[in-house]
Amino acid sequence: MVAIVTRSEVLAPLWSTPLALLFLDGSHTEESARRDQDAWVAKLAVGGTLAIHDVFPDPADGGQAPYGVYTRVLESGEFTELPGVGSMRLLRRDR
């Protein structure tokens, strides 16, 4: 395993290996969350797991940007929801 610390828009265009696990835990602005979604979700392999941190359906509980990513990805029809823990949501890529 190799840790790489950089901005999504820098690394994503260079990344070609399908991901088995994608953990999204970035800024909670809508712009940043969409940028991470657009940059990385398509790189997740079929059968891979998408983990999204700080998913709060109720705006009173937390920011809505991670929840927006979660709902958009789930509504794509390409993912199945797995059991999550607390504010962590897990989705498996089916196609």
Side-chain angles (χ1 to χ4, degrees):
M1 180 188 323
V2 175
I4 301 171
V5 180
T6 189
R7 299 183 60 81
S8 286
E9 60 269 20
V10 173
L11 183 60
L14 305 173
W15 195 271
S16 61
T17 304
L19 301 169
L21 173 67
L22 175 58
F23 179 56
L24 294 180
D25 184 24
S27 168
H28 288 196
T29 67
E30 184 62 31
E31 178 184 345
S32 177
R34 280 187 182 268
R35 190 169 46 240
D36 286 344
Q37 178 185 351
D38 293 345
W40 292 102
V41 172
K43 297 178 184 303
L44 189 64
V46 171
T49 301
L50 172 59
I52 308 170
H53 190 241
D54 292 337
V55 175
F56 296 106
D58 184 345
D61 294 332
Q64 290 296 282
Y67 180 71
V69 171
Y70 161 78
T71 57
R72 286 189 297 275
V73 169
L74 193 55
E75 290 169 357
S76 74
E78 296 181 7
F79 290 79
T80 300
E81 188 167 20
L82 302 171
V85 176
S87 68
M88 179 75 71
R89 297 293 180 267
L90 302 174
L91 301 167
R92 181 187 62 238
R93 182 174 212 124
D94 296 325
R95 53 186 173 101

